[in-house]
Amino acid sequence: QMSWQEYVDVQLLSTGTLRHAAILGHAGDVWATSNGFNIDQAEIAKIIKGHDDFSILQTGGLTLNGMKYTFIRGDDKTLYMKKLTNGVFLRKTQQAIIIGVHDDQQVPE
């Protein structure tokens, strides 16, 4: 059985479509993260609140790992944010929130 860290490393990062990735529990705990991708508790809290009410992200954006992203669009499962050619998606599942970050070198799938 694959660990959450293996999922980040093998299923998300090794595809070459993402620069960074993380998996968070709904309670705000970090299950796995890519090397060098640091998410603080304030960012995690905003991600969790933003999935319940993405107007929070529409007005203030979201800073992740030192970069501020602007809200582009979202629904009850997936939120999309962007800064220039960099982007981030936040996908809520039944158990977790999956974060994927890409830059102009990757084409997200």
Side-chain angles (χ1 to χ4, degrees):
Q1 183 170 331
M2 186 177 290
S3 72
W4 291 117
Q5 189 60 54
E6 287 175 305
Y7 186 85
V8 165
D9 296 338
V10 175
Q11 298 294 321
L12 299 177
L13 295 178
S14 70
T15 64
T17 60
L18 296 174
R19 171 76 55 205
H20 292 291
I23 300 175
L24 311 175
H26 288 183
D29 46 328
V30 178
W31 292 0
T33 186
S34 57
N35 194 20
F37 187 51
N38 302 308
I39 308 170
D40 67 35
Q41 286 302 311
E43 294 166 342
I44 292 170
K46 195 166 187 181
I47 289 167
I48 292 168
K49 288 179 186 171
H51 266 288
D52 293 332
D53 177 11
F54 52 77
S55 67
I56 294 166
L57 300 174
Q58 288 173 315
T59 56
L62 176 67
T63 300
L64 281 177
N65 204 40
M67 184 175 290
K68 186 166 184 179
Y69 296 92
T70 302
F71 181 86
I72 301 298
R73 70 181 189 276
D75 57 35
D76 63 334
K77 299 239 186 262
T78 309
L79 307 176
Y80 298 92
M81 317 273 303
K82 188 171 184 178
K83 177 175 182 166
L84 302 174
T85 58
N86 299 306
V88 64
F89 71 86
L90 307 153
R91 174 75 176 179
K92 187 174 186 179
T93 70
Q94 287 184 346
Q95 297 181 353
I97 297 172
I98 301 170
I99 302 171
V101 179
H102 68 88
D103 61 23
D104 61 350
Q105 303 300 310
Q106 290 93 24
V107 178
E109 295 178 356

